[in-house]
Amino acid sequence: MSQKRYWLMKSEPGAYSFSDLIGEENSTAEWDGVRNYQARNMMRDDMKIGDGVIFYHSNAKPPGAVGTAVVVREGYPDHTAWDSESEHPDPRSTPDNPVWYMVDIKAVAEFERFVPLREIKATPGLEEMPLVKNSRLSVQPVTKQEWDIILALGAQE
DNA sequence: GCCAACGTTGGC
DNA sequence: GCCAACGTTGGC
């Protein structure tokens, strides 16, 4: 029985927001369209059912963490890669030989209080987050300590 | 809109 | 395998 892990996933709210996720059937969505190898590897190999996800709005005004989600399906091929009509087609990826993978996540709860990036950057204990260290990765690992700090910020009145 | 950081591509 | 050029991300 492996330890529950934690992640942070970015989305541009103009493209897909946390509200969009909540509005899905079962508040669940395929996390398709990721075309970065590091992010793919984490989704394919490391993300397990039950893992916690912080949902982060990038390219937003202001950017920040908006809520939590949970992994409900582990890595499987991203079928949008071989759909020429999709937003991120990649002809190298086929059903027999998939290049890109995704997971399914389900919304758990919106934070009572939005946690802006500005505050994440200023909070002791969060300095080592890839988010703070200028990483563009759209799927990032989060430690248990970081998870607890951010959830506390999001719960604050 | 600017631009720094970083990943990817492709010539050699 | 190196590395310059180029494209993308994403905060500001």
Side-chain angles (χ1 to χ4, degrees):
Chain A
M1 173 93 187
S2 65
Q3 184 74 30
K4 174 176 174 178
R5 296 193 234 197
Y6 302 91
W7 309 93
L8 178 144
M9 295 171 99
K10 296 182 189 174
S11 187
E12 301 196 15
Y16 193 86
S17 70
F18 192 63
S19 303
D20 291 330
L21 180 61
I22 289 174
E24 302 276 4
E25 187 176 352
N26 284 328
S27 302
T28 300
E30 301 179 334
W31 206 252
D32 61 54
V34 173
R35 300 290 180 264
N36 170 282
Y37 289 105
Q38 257 184 286
R40 177 206 65 183
N41 292 348
M42 287 186 274
M43 292 200 291
R44 186 189 60 191
D45 306 330
D46 301 327
M47 297 180 76
K48 301 299 174 192
I49 287 174
D51 283 2
V53 175
I54 290 170
F55 199 105
Y56 175 86
H57 279 171
S58 62
N59 245 328
K61 292 185 278 194
V66 287
T68 57
V70 61
V71 176
V72 291
R73 182 171 174 188
E74 295 174 9
Y76 64 108
D78 180 346
H79 57 81
T80 68
W82 52 79
D83 174 3
S84 59
E85 307 281 296
S86 82
E87 294 192 19
H88 305 281
D90 183 347
R92 294 173 304 156
S93 192
T94 64
D96 284 342
N97 211 346
V99 175
W100 301 111
Y101 285 73
M102 60 188 177
V103 297
D104 288 357
I105 62 170
K106 175 176 180 151
V108 172
E110 184 168 8
F111 287 143
E112 290 171 45
R113 192 179 145 274
F114 174 75
V115 184
L117 176 61
R118 162 130 233 112
E119 191 174 326
I120 293 173
K121 284 184 165 176
T123 302
L126 302 182
E127 303 87 349
E128 296 303 315
M129 292 186 74
L131 190 68
V132 172
K133 303 187 91 171
N134 201 16
S135 164
R136 294 158 27 193
L137 255 192
S138 66
V139 177
Q140 312 185 347
V142 171
T143 67
K144 168 87 167 101
Q145 289 75 17
E146 291 161 349
W147 171 271
D148 288 342
I149 292 171
I150 290 177
L151 261 67
L153 292 173
Q156 202 169 282
E157 281 302 314

